[in-house]
Amino acid sequence: MSHNTFGHLFRVTTWGESHGPALGCVVDGCPPGIRFTLADIQSELDKRRPGQSRFVTQRREPDEVKILSGVIEDGGGLVTTGTPISMLIENVDQRSKDYGEIARQYRPGHADYAYEMKYGIRDHRGGGRSSARETAARVAAGAIARRIVPGMVVRGALVSMGDKAIDRANWNWNFVADPENPFFTPDPASVPVFADYLDGIRKAGSSVGAVIEIVAEGVPAGLGAPIYAKVDQDIAACLMSINAVKGVEIGNGFEAAKITGEKNADEMRMGNDGKPVFLSNNAGGILGGISTGQDIVARFAVKPTSSILTPRRSIDMDGNDVDVMTKGRHDPCVGIRAVPIGEAMVACAIADHYLRHRGQVGR
Amino acid sequence: MSHNTFGHLFRVTTWGESHGPALGCVVDGCPPGIRFTLADIQSELDKRRPGQSRFVTQRREPDEVKILSGVIEDGGGLVTTGTPISMLIENVDQRSKDYGEIARQYRPGHADYAYEMKYGIRDHRGGGRSSARETAARVAAGAIARRIVPGMVVRGALVSMGDKAIDRANWNWNFVADPENPFFTPDPASVPVFADYLDGIRKAGSSVGAVIEIVAEGVPAGLGAPIYAKVDQDIAACLMSINAVKGVEIGNGFEAAKITGEKNADEMRMGNDGKPVFLSNNAGGILGGISTGQDIVARFAVKPTSSILTPRRSIDMDGNDVDVMTKGRHDPCVGIRAVPIGEAMVACAIADHYLRHRGQVGR
Amino acid sequence: MSHNTFGHLFRVTTWGESHGPALGCVVDGCPPGIRFTLADIQSELDKRRPGQSRFVTQRREPDEVKILSGVIEDGGGLVTTGTPISMLIENVDQRSKDYGEIARQYRPGHADYAYEMKYGIRDHRGGGRSSARETAARVAAGAIARRIVPGMVVRGALVSMGDKAIDRANWNWNFVADPENPFFTPDPASVPVFADYLDGIRKAGSSVGAVIEIVAEGVPAGLGAPIYAKVDQDIAACLMSINAVKGVEIGNGFEAAKITGEKNADEMRMGNDGKPVFLSNNAGGILGGISTGQDIVARFAVKPTSSILTPRRSIDMDGNDVDVMTKGRHDPCVGIRAVPIGEAMVACAIADHYLRHRGQVGR
Amino acid sequence: MSHNTFGHLFRVTTWGESHGPALGCVVDGCPPGIRFTLADIQSELDKRRPGQSRFVTQRREPDEVKILSGVIEDGGGLVTTGTPISMLIENVDQRSKDYGEIARQYRPGHADYAYEMKYGIRDHRGGGRSSARETAARVAAGAIARRIVPGMVVRGALVSMGDKAIDRANWNWNFVADPENPFFTPDPASVPVFADYLDGIRKAGSSVGAVIEIVAEGVPAGLGAPIYAKVDQDIAACLMSINAVKGVEIGNGFEAAKITGEKNADEMRMGNDGKPVFLSNNAGGILGGISTGQDIVARFAVKPTSSILTPRRSIDMDGNDVDVMTKGRHDPCVGIRAVPIGEAMVACAIADHYLRHRGQVGR
């Protein structure tokens, strides 16, 4: 991985700041002959787009993607040519004045101070390169990645918000995609609970974290490698690279540390169709870094956004103690919009491993 | 990252199987002029070495490291020359017969099945390349990495085992290193608790997981990058690449998802010495992917070893249902020996970022 | 190197086809605080721009660069922030109809057949991704690379065209940059010779090759590494990646193979200023892959463009024998415009090594 | 490429100094199921081995390779498992005293001065890491690479030595491999010419350069990519990374710069078997960076070794002017032993592209 690139054979390079003219990505290594439409990408971007409910930032960005290279038109859609796919999204609704008074302050919980220590120069507007607007480029890349592994479906859901959690017994993937569901929760019963809770948070000028679960179905067994190219390692890196993520787990994750080997082992039997069947999936579809053919399951923890209306103690660039309050327009729970981002990153990680496996092993 | 290499400027490539003649690593990109002794490396290896108490595998391996290149002798010690450092550890106590009857069976929870699906060929003895013996090479590399960032100290401790956890009020780093402490726990009061618990597990032919915490002190602010070269992302990848790890978190990790922005933000004030002071460290020393100068704190969850005496249902290579029991010699809690491995991986990840930062930014 | 990326710490990713809407690049890893103006980049692009004399293609492209990220305005110019620099150049004068009749033919000497064998799908217009228009992106990246190594100056010159060569006794760098000099030749006396020769070639519907020499002054000693990160190796790769290049040499190059060790060795003496002085530069400024502080000298051979009006025998996609004649607008000697491209690639290669050296060695 | 690693999916990392205990390599990414014998590797190493005639260095090294990982025994031979292959060659005949008096002098034409400028520390014995002994590891890796592309045969020959060249009309591949042929020349008539010439050079305490040609047959069309993953670019980088190489060319190389487009274009016709036939091979089997299915042809220029008995002017580490004469044991023409090394590097470069192509395109 370079500073702004991830992947090996399926490689994504992103660029752009929150308040510059545009942001985008270059997807390199996409096989030729992959078919999709601009609408396929746009619909993924729309899931991540701001301003769609009172629970997310009110910044209004159409997030309209343009494809500048790497495809040709064919039969009403697009087909990849094997050359790099450049995608561009213009920034429309930058309000730099929102940031005027915090240009020289380090917002607690933000990257401001660390960023200044690194580069000695900083585009403070909207967090510059640290802004979550960069994730639009990931989602666009992920929309292509989803088409690379035949039969693979990657979906995500919000499973907890602050101290409220879903009831897994109610899990319904169709409900996650329901336009009336503002939270990507799979549990219809959780909607009023989350709504009340988040309204309170929002009105208090506060924010709250969330946990997201990503499930990739249809991943063939054999992707990954036993040591430093583990599928779970690359999924962990991809998810941890999303803004505000503080933890990642695979399968039963931290729960595995609490139980015995008998309980944790996923037993196997031959199925009636002559194919192996796993009797459980504590491993989250990955053993020894290699996919088993079961669903790949990953979860990640998103911290509460640090942009809050409640003043916090901090310092400024001149070394003065200050109290910082971030007005602007912000998500009371950035974890909501992290769902399509997490899906995109998992799709990219697996697509890369699919191509690498095909290269090394030839199957 | 390649299949068996990690890092960018400080790069580690490992090789070797559990039951081959030897294992080792090549450390590339180590700056010239770094001084250490063979004993410095050996003492790290000894912490990871099997057979040192009844709580770990009884395989007897001296794990004696030989350095074949990249250093010259100088003043009683060694000094790096800037060329690749090749290190080799011979395997001594391989008992391949232990594995005779499971050569064609897929042990539940092990990589056997996934490995076969990937490569179609498998050195089943001791797990082959999937064996935790590979981690000796990481520890050797980590011993060099520790010397690269001036003033950095990386330490680790076991903070829970199964459903038993330490009392953080008793945290004592000196006790972790005490030779009478078989668990790398920082809490002296936890020793009898863990000992009783693990004796029970061991006698029952069972196994149990653990959580390890790694703390890196003395890391300068400014390492990392905001997008795909986040320090936390590379630490997560490095820890997730360790055998049996199922989860990683930074700072307060999954806890951050449960709390509000006010509580989570690490406030700042100017210290009496004119330097910024953080009033808490929920971030674990990393904000926006960049180190803040605070202690870097990471935790990882190790699952219970899948090699247990209790029979589990599985299948064999011919598609027969079988019951598998793994005799051999195994760790009832592989999490114990994961402590020095985690330290090594965090040291390598930070050393790499230190060199990359120096390269890009020049400070 | 990825398929469309080169460099390690200073990394350039390019994208775009000859007849798509635009082309561009992302420059990643550029240190923060580098100052330049848009005009600095544009003036490099103008050197490579088509349509400036009768000796180059008549395609009219303004090649106007837009910078979309990675810089902020400061004091009338731009300053890098350390984040990826995205640059975009729109294609204006695509005449796709020129290519109508060769859409299904493989032009001899072109990549058409090989390209089809690789991807099975091909944007034939203007060569698609194989077009030399891609090199505009390299020149833009090179304009930034030139500013990274303090004091470095990279210049190039055409030293032979077909069977005509310059007289090195007349070498004049100032003349190379003279706007009246259509060939980037350093020898004023060569202009009428090259002009007559190339007029004949052009009127005959033919084309001819050239040799370009690049000289980098002010490169500090110590860049590179003895094995697989040799400066000359990376320069060779960078130059060989330019369209139509068939050979690369460093210093006295192939001549070195003909002479004895006594003649080839560059002797040294201490200078009056107490600094080492080399008495010759057969090595081209690089010994054992590491820069010596002398001028770095590289040459590359550009083949004659394969787009000629003279019919050549070939086949088409249906397996028919055909005669191919490429009308369109083409350079009778692509070597001319290769001069600024070669400069850019050498500048990028050295900038990358400068950052890598700083990272690994810290000096 | 890292400092000591090359390749992407087929990756080779080498380590070791001339006068250390051993040298070796780790071959990562080799597909599982590749069969070979230890003798296959040893026979390649024997071609490069010193001390086999009066025309090469008299250092006596058995160059016996040990394989420490990545293979299992099967049917009298070895088969790869897909895990990293570690190979080790012990140094036997180091005579460090030969170098006593030049420990503090910079030998003209050698990397001594540049090396010191880079690292500030130097293992002067035998050139340390800059020694051509490192190339034994490349040859071992190449012996495996040769088996990866089905049907590929890579052969090399010395085509000129100093100002003496072979007669291409006499080209005989079988003669190259003749044990009575001390020069890897394909022209039997050249042997007495080269022998007389080199005896004169050797007795005069001098040295001379050479040009080597490598031909890879059986390479499928479609390997490579149009921009920064050109097959010729990677071959150029691989050959330029060999010690003492100063120039590389593909196909007709620098000759292409002298001729017209009509002469240079390789025309095509459909063959009687319904397959495309090229009527010439000026391109050396590569167009637009992608293999065409023709023989891949590359040449490289090796400079005369700088270790000569004739004194040359230089300086020492203390800044004194000195005269340097290198006694030791050296090759009067290092180009001879460069033949198997060049073969190995071309085999590695193509093997890597074969796997990458399979990964990206899936054919």
Side-chain angles (χ1 to χ4, degrees):
Chain A
M1 279 197 195
S2 166
H3 288 147
N4 292 283
T5 298
F6 66 95
H8 293 77
L9 287 188
F10 183 84
R11 292 169 70 81
V12 179
T13 300
T14 76
W15 55 269
E17 277 84 37
S18 172
H19 284 55
L23 60 89
C25 65
V26 182
V27 176
D28 194 10
C30 183
I34 304 286
R35 291 177 181 279
F36 62 95
T37 66
L38 205 54
D40 290 334
I41 299 184
Q42 197 61 53
S43 70
E44 294 296 328
L45 282 166
D46 288 348
K47 284 161 59 180
R48 195 213 69 98
R49 193 151 54 87
Q52 302 192 100
S53 82
R54 69 182 187 275
F55 302 112
V56 297
T57 174
Q58 294 308 302
R59 181 169 171 167
R60 297 277 165 181
E61 289 287 354
D63 278 354
E64 210 172 285
V65 67
K66 288 179 194 165
I67 303 188
L68 301 175
S69 66
V71 298
I72 54 179
E73 294 185 15
D74 187 73
L78 301 170
V79 59
T80 60
T81 59
T83 61
I85 303 167
S86 175
M87 296 191 279
L88 182 146
I89 296 165
E90 285 175 23
N91 286 326
V92 171
D93 183 20
Q94 311 103 305
R95 289 195 211 156
S96 295
K97 65 178 158 58
D98 285 352
Y99 294 93
E101 58 193 29
I102 55 167
R104 298 186 61 77
Q105 298 179 338
Y106 301 130
R107 292 167 296 167
H110 269 285
D112 300 345
Y113 173 74
Y115 205 98
E116 190 88 32
M117 290 301 103
K118 180 169 197 74
Y119 297 113
I121 188 173
R122 179 162 64 96
D123 182 353
H124 69 277
R125 298 165 303 163
R129 183 65 179 150
S130 298
S131 164
R133 268 203 69 63
E134 184 268 348
T135 58
R138 304 175 186 228
V139 171
I144 295 172
R146 286 169 187 273
R147 273 153 187 80
I148 288 178
V149 184
M152 179 178 76
V153 174
V154 180
R155 294 186 290 199
L158 184 147
V159 295
S160 71
M161 182 192 293
D163 54 15
K164 313 293 181 198
I166 62 157
D167 179 349
R168 287 182 169 264
N170 296 337
W171 195 293
N172 178 348
W173 277 119
N174 290 334
F175 183 69
V176 175
D178 190 318
E180 298 301 299
N181 174 354
F183 301 119
F184 298 110
T185 170
D187 171 13
S190 70
V191 172
V193 181
F194 288 159
D196 278 2
Y197 179 62
L198 199 54
D199 274 333
I201 292 286
R202 186 169 54 86
K203 286 170 186 164
S206 181
S207 64
V208 76
V211 174
I212 316 300
E213 181 165 317
I214 309 291
V215 178
E217 296 168 71
V219 179
L223 308 192
I227 304 293
Y228 305 119
K230 293 181 193 277
V231 174
D232 35 0
Q233 166 191 8
D234 285 333
I235 287 175
C238 277
L239 293 175
M240 197 64 102
S241 77
I242 301 172
N243 312 51
V245 173
K246 299 302 285 184
V248 179
E249 56 182 10
I250 304 294
N252 60 355
F254 277 86
E255 178 67 17
K258 296 186 184 159
I259 61 177
T260 62
E262 299 92 270
K263 285 190 190 147
N264 194 57
D266 298 315
E267 295 183 295
M268 299 178 78
R269 276 292 179 247
M270 288 308 291
N272 293 332
D273 59 354
K275 290 182 187 164
V277 176
F278 286 91
L279 309 182
S280 57
N281 189 13
N282 290 318
I286 304 170
L287 283 171
I290 303 172
S291 62
T292 62
Q294 286 195 283
D295 289 356
I296 290 182
V297 181
R299 266 180 310 283
F300 60 102
V302 181
K303 71 177 184 182
T305 179
S306 308
S307 297
I308 49 177
L309 283 165
T310 315
R312 294 282 93 188
R313 289 174 289 175
S314 188
I315 61 173
D316 67 15
M317 290 174 67
D318 303 314
N320 302 309
D321 285 353
V322 294
D323 280 3
V324 177
M325 185 176 71
T326 313
K327 284 183 236 164
R329 302 157 296 178
H330 299 288
D331 291 274
C333 177
V334 283
I336 299 171
R337 290 167 58 213
V339 174
I341 304 166
E343 290 176 7
M345 293 308 283
V346 169
C348 288
I350 297 174
D352 187 37
H353 273 288
Y354 178 79
L355 302 185
R356 291 166 77 182
H357 175 72
R358 190 162 70 176
Q360 196 203 352
V361 177
R363 289 184 290 176
Chain B
M1 279 199 196
S2 166
H3 288 148
N4 292 283
T5 298
F6 66 95
H8 295 78
L9 287 187
F10 183 84
R11 293 170 68 82
V12 179
T13 300
T14 76
W15 55 270
E17 277 84 37
S18 172
H19 284 55
L23 60 89
C25 67
V26 181
V27 176
D28 194 10
C30 182
I34 304 286
R35 291 178 181 280
F36 61 96
T37 65
L38 205 55
D40 289 335
I41 299 183
Q42 197 60 53
S43 71
E44 294 296 330
L45 282 166
D46 288 348
K47 283 161 60 179
R48 194 212 69 99
R49 193 150 54 86
Q52 302 192 100
S53 82
R54 71 181 184 274
F55 302 112
V56 297
T57 174
Q58 296 307 301
R59 180 168 171 170
R60 298 278 164 181
E61 289 287 351
D63 278 354
E64 210 172 287
V65 67
K66 288 179 193 165
I67 303 187
L68 301 175
S69 66
V71 297
I72 53 177
E73 294 185 15
D74 187 74
L78 300 169
V79 59
T80 61
T81 59
T83 61
I85 303 167
S86 175
M87 295 191 279
L88 182 147
I89 295 166
E90 286 175 21
N91 286 326
V92 170
D93 184 22
Q94 311 101 305
R95 289 197 211 154
S96 295
K97 65 180 159 53
D98 284 351
Y99 294 93
E101 58 193 31
I102 56 169
R104 298 187 60 79
Q105 298 179 338
Y106 301 130
R107 293 166 297 167
H110 269 283
D112 300 344
Y113 173 74
Y115 204 99
E116 190 89 31
M117 290 301 103
K118 180 170 196 73
Y119 296 112
I121 187 173
R122 180 164 62 98
D123 182 353
H124 69 276
R125 297 165 305 161
R129 185 63 179 151
S130 297
S131 163
R133 269 203 70 62
E134 184 269 347
T135 58
R138 305 175 184 229
V139 171
I144 295 173
R146 287 168 187 272
R147 273 153 186 81
I148 288 179
V149 184
M152 179 177 77
V153 174
V154 180
R155 294 185 290 198
L158 183 148
V159 296
S160 72
M161 181 192 291
D163 54 15
K164 313 293 181 196
I166 63 158
D167 180 348
R168 285 179 171 264
N170 296 338
W171 196 291
N172 177 349
W173 278 118
N174 290 333
F175 183 69
V176 176
D178 189 319
E180 299 300 298
N181 174 354
F183 300 119
F184 297 109
T185 171
D187 171 12
S190 70
V191 171
V193 180
F194 288 159
D196 278 0
Y197 179 61
L198 199 52
D199 274 333
I201 292 286
R202 186 169 54 85
K203 286 170 188 165
S206 183
S207 65
V208 77
V211 175
I212 316 300
E213 181 166 317
I214 309 290
V215 179
E217 296 168 70
V219 179
L223 308 192
I227 304 294
Y228 305 119
K230 291 181 193 277
V231 173
D232 34 1
Q233 165 192 7
D234 285 332
I235 287 175
C238 277
L239 293 175
M240 197 64 102
S241 77
I242 300 171
N243 314 50
V245 173
K246 300 302 284 186
V248 178
E249 56 183 10
I250 304 295
N252 60 355
F254 277 86
E255 177 67 18
K258 296 186 184 160
I259 62 177
T260 62
E262 300 92 270
K263 286 193 190 144
N264 195 57
D266 299 314
E267 296 184 293
M268 299 178 79
R269 276 294 180 245
M270 289 306 293
N272 293 331
D273 59 354
K275 290 184 186 162
V277 177
F278 286 92
L279 308 182
S280 57
N281 189 12
N282 289 319
I286 303 171
L287 282 170
I290 303 172
S291 62
T292 62
Q294 286 195 284
D295 289 356
I296 289 181
V297 180
R299 267 180 308 286
F300 60 101
V302 180
K303 72 176 184 182
T305 180
S306 308
S307 299
I308 48 178
L309 283 166
T310 314
R312 296 281 92 187
R313 289 175 289 175
S314 189
I315 61 172
D316 66 15
M317 291 174 66
D318 303 314
N320 302 310
D321 285 352
V322 293
D323 280 3
V324 178
M325 184 175 70
T326 313
K327 284 184 236 164
R329 300 157 296 176
H330 300 287
D331 291 274
C333 176
V334 282
I336 299 171
R337 289 166 58 213
V339 174
I341 304 166
E343 291 176 6
M345 293 308 283
V346 169
C348 287
I350 298 174
D352 187 37
H353 273 287
Y354 179 79
L355 302 185
R356 292 168 75 181
H357 174 72
R358 190 162 72 177
Q360 197 204 351
V361 178
R363 291 184 292 176
Chain C
M1 280 198 196
S2 167
H3 289 148
N4 292 282
T5 298
F6 67 94
H8 293 78
L9 287 188
F10 183 84
R11 292 170 69 83
V12 179
T13 300
T14 76
W15 54 268
E17 278 84 37
S18 172
H19 283 55
L23 61 89
C25 66
V26 181
V27 176
D28 195 9
C30 183
I34 304 285
R35 291 177 180 280
F36 62 96
T37 65
L38 206 54
D40 290 334
I41 299 183
Q42 197 61 54
S43 70
E44 294 296 328
L45 282 166
D46 289 348
K47 285 161 60 179
R48 194 212 70 96
R49 194 150 54 86
Q52 301 192 100
S53 82
R54 70 182 185 276
F55 302 112
V56 297
T57 175
Q58 295 307 300
R59 179 167 172 169
R60 298 277 164 182
E61 289 288 352
D63 278 354
E64 211 172 286
V65 68
K66 288 179 193 163
I67 303 187
L68 301 175
S69 66
V71 298
I72 54 178
E73 294 185 15
D74 187 74
L78 300 169
V79 59
T80 60
T81 58
T83 62
I85 302 167
S86 176
M87 296 191 280
L88 182 147
I89 295 165
E90 284 175 23
N91 286 325
V92 170
D93 184 20
Q94 310 102 307
R95 290 195 211 155
S96 294
K97 65 179 160 55
D98 284 352
Y99 294 92
E101 59 193 28
I102 56 169
R104 298 187 61 77
Q105 298 180 339
Y106 301 130
R107 293 166 297 167
H110 268 283
D112 300 346
Y113 172 74
Y115 204 98
E116 191 88 31
M117 290 301 103
K118 181 170 196 72
Y119 297 113
I121 187 173
R122 180 164 63 96
D123 182 354
H124 70 277
R125 299 165 304 162
R129 184 66 179 149
S130 296
S131 164
R133 269 203 68 64
E134 183 268 348
T135 58
R138 304 175 186 229
V139 171
I144 294 173
R146 287 169 187 272
R147 273 153 186 80
I148 288 179
V149 185
M152 179 177 77
V153 174
V154 180
R155 295 186 290 199
L158 183 149
V159 296
S160 72
M161 181 192 292
D163 54 16
K164 313 294 180 195
I166 63 158
D167 180 348
R168 286 180 169 265
N170 297 337
W171 196 293
N172 178 348
W173 278 119
N174 290 334
F175 184 68
V176 175
D178 190 320
E180 298 301 297
N181 174 355
F183 301 119
F184 297 109
T185 170
D187 170 13
S190 71
V191 171
V193 180
F194 287 159
D196 279 2
Y197 179 62
L198 198 54
D199 274 333
I201 292 285
R202 187 169 53 86
K203 287 170 188 165
S206 182
S207 64
V208 75
V211 175
I212 315 300
E213 181 165 318
I214 309 291
V215 178
E217 296 168 70
V219 178
L223 308 193
I227 304 294
Y228 305 118
K230 292 181 193 277
V231 174
D232 34 1
Q233 166 192 7
D234 285 333
I235 287 174
C238 277
L239 293 175
M240 197 64 101
S241 77
I242 300 172
N243 313 49
V245 173
K246 299 302 284 185
V248 178
E249 56 183 10
I250 304 294
N252 60 355
F254 277 87
E255 178 67 18
K258 296 185 183 159
I259 61 177
T260 62
E262 300 92 88
K263 285 191 190 145
N264 195 57
D266 298 314
E267 295 183 296
M268 300 178 79
R269 277 292 178 248
M270 288 307 292
N272 292 331
D273 59 354
K275 289 184 186 162
V277 177
F278 286 92
L279 309 182
S280 57
N281 189 12
N282 289 318
I286 303 170
L287 283 170
I290 302 172
S291 63
T292 62
Q294 287 195 283
D295 289 356
I296 289 182
V297 181
R299 267 180 309 284
F300 60 101
V302 181
K303 71 176 186 181
T305 179
S306 309
S307 298
I308 49 178
L309 283 165
T310 314
R312 296 281 91 187
R313 289 174 289 175
S314 188
I315 61 173
D316 66 15
M317 289 174 67
D318 304 313
N320 302 310
D321 285 352
V322 293
D323 279 4
V324 178
M325 185 174 71
T326 313
K327 285 183 232 163
R329 301 157 296 177
H330 299 287
D331 291 275
C333 177
V334 282
I336 299 171
R337 290 167 59 214
V339 174
I341 304 166
E343 290 176 9
M345 292 308 283
V346 169
C348 287
I350 297 174
D352 186 37
H353 272 288
Y354 178 79
L355 301 185
R356 291 167 76 182
H357 174 71
R358 191 162 71 178
Q360 197 203 351
V361 178
R363 289 185 293 175
Chain D
M1 278 197 196
S2 166
H3 289 148
N4 292 283
T5 298
F6 66 96
H8 295 78
L9 286 188
F10 184 84
R11 292 170 69 82
V12 179
T13 300
T14 75
W15 54 269
E17 278 83 37
S18 171
H19 283 56
L23 59 89
C25 65
V26 181
V27 176
D28 194 9
C30 182
I34 305 285
R35 291 177 181 280
F36 61 96
T37 65
L38 205 56
D40 290 334
I41 300 183
Q42 197 61 52
S43 70
E44 294 296 327
L45 281 166
D46 289 348
K47 284 160 61 180
R48 194 213 70 98
R49 193 151 55 86
Q52 302 192 99
S53 81
R54 71 180 186 276
F55 302 111
V56 297
T57 175
Q58 296 307 301
R59 179 168 173 170
R60 299 277 165 181
E61 288 288 353
D63 278 355
E64 211 172 287
V65 67
K66 288 179 193 165
I67 303 186
L68 301 175
S69 67
V71 298
I72 53 178
E73 294 186 16
D74 186 74
L78 301 170
V79 59
T80 60
T81 58
T83 61
I85 303 167
S86 175
M87 295 190 279
L88 181 147
I89 295 166
E90 285 175 22
N91 286 325
V92 170
D93 184 22
Q94 311 102 306
R95 289 194 212 156
S96 295
K97 66 180 158 56
D98 285 352
Y99 293 92
E101 59 193 29
I102 56 169
R104 299 185 61 79
Q105 298 179 339
Y106 301 131
R107 293 166 296 167
H110 268 283
D112 300 345
Y113 173 73
Y115 204 99
E116 189 88 31
M117 291 300 102
K118 181 170 196 73
Y119 296 113
I121 187 173
R122 179 163 62 96
D123 182 353
H124 69 276
R125 297 165 304 161
R129 184 65 179 151
S130 298
S131 164
R133 269 202 69 63
E134 185 269 347
T135 59
R138 305 174 185 230
V139 171
I144 294 172
R146 287 169 187 273
R147 272 153 188 80
I148 287 178
V149 185
M152 178 177 77
V153 174
V154 180
R155 293 184 291 198
L158 183 148
V159 296
S160 72
M161 181 192 294
D163 54 16
K164 314 293 181 197
I166 63 156
D167 180 348
R168 285 180 171 266
N170 297 337
W171 195 292
N172 178 347
W173 278 118
N174 289 334
F175 183 68
V176 175
D178 189 318
E180 298 301 299
N181 174 356
F183 301 118
F184 297 109
T185 170
D187 171 13
S190 70
V191 171
V193 181
F194 287 159
D196 277 2
Y197 179 62
L198 199 53
D199 274 334
I201 293 286
R202 186 169 54 86
K203 286 171 187 163
S206 182
S207 64
V208 76
V211 175
I212 315 300
E213 182 166 317
I214 308 290
V215 179
E217 297 168 69
V219 179
L223 309 193
I227 304 292
Y228 305 118
K230 291 180 193 279
V231 174
D232 34 1
Q233 166 191 7
D234 284 332
I235 287 175
C238 277
L239 293 175
M240 197 63 101
S241 78
I242 300 172
N243 313 51
V245 173
K246 299 302 285 185
V248 178
E249 56 183 10
I250 303 294
N252 61 354
F254 278 86
E255 178 66 18
K258 296 185 184 160
I259 62 177
T260 63
E262 302 90 271
K263 284 191 189 145
N264 195 57
D266 299 315
E267 296 183 296
M268 298 178 79
R269 276 292 179 249
M270 287 306 292
N272 293 332
D273 58 353
K275 289 184 187 162
V277 176
F278 287 91
L279 309 182
S280 57
N281 189 13
N282 289 320
I286 304 171
L287 283 171
I290 302 173
S291 62
T292 63
Q294 286 195 283
D295 288 357
I296 290 182
V297 181
R299 266 180 309 284
F300 59 101
V302 180
K303 71 176 184 181
T305 179
S306 308
S307 298
I308 48 177
L309 283 165
T310 314
R312 295 281 91 187
R313 289 174 290 175
S314 188
I315 60 171
D316 67 16
M317 290 173 67
D318 303 314
N320 302 309
D321 285 353
V322 293
D323 280 3
V324 177
M325 185 176 70
T326 314
K327 285 184 233 162
R329 300 156 297 175
H330 300 287
D331 291 274
C333 177
V334 281
I336 299 171
R337 290 166 57 213
V339 174
I341 303 166
E343 291 176 6
M345 293 308 283
V346 169
C348 287
I350 298 174
D352 186 36
H353 272 288
Y354 179 79
L355 301 185
R356 291 167 76 181
H357 174 71
R358 191 163 71 176
Q360 197 203 351
V361 178
R363 291 184 291 176

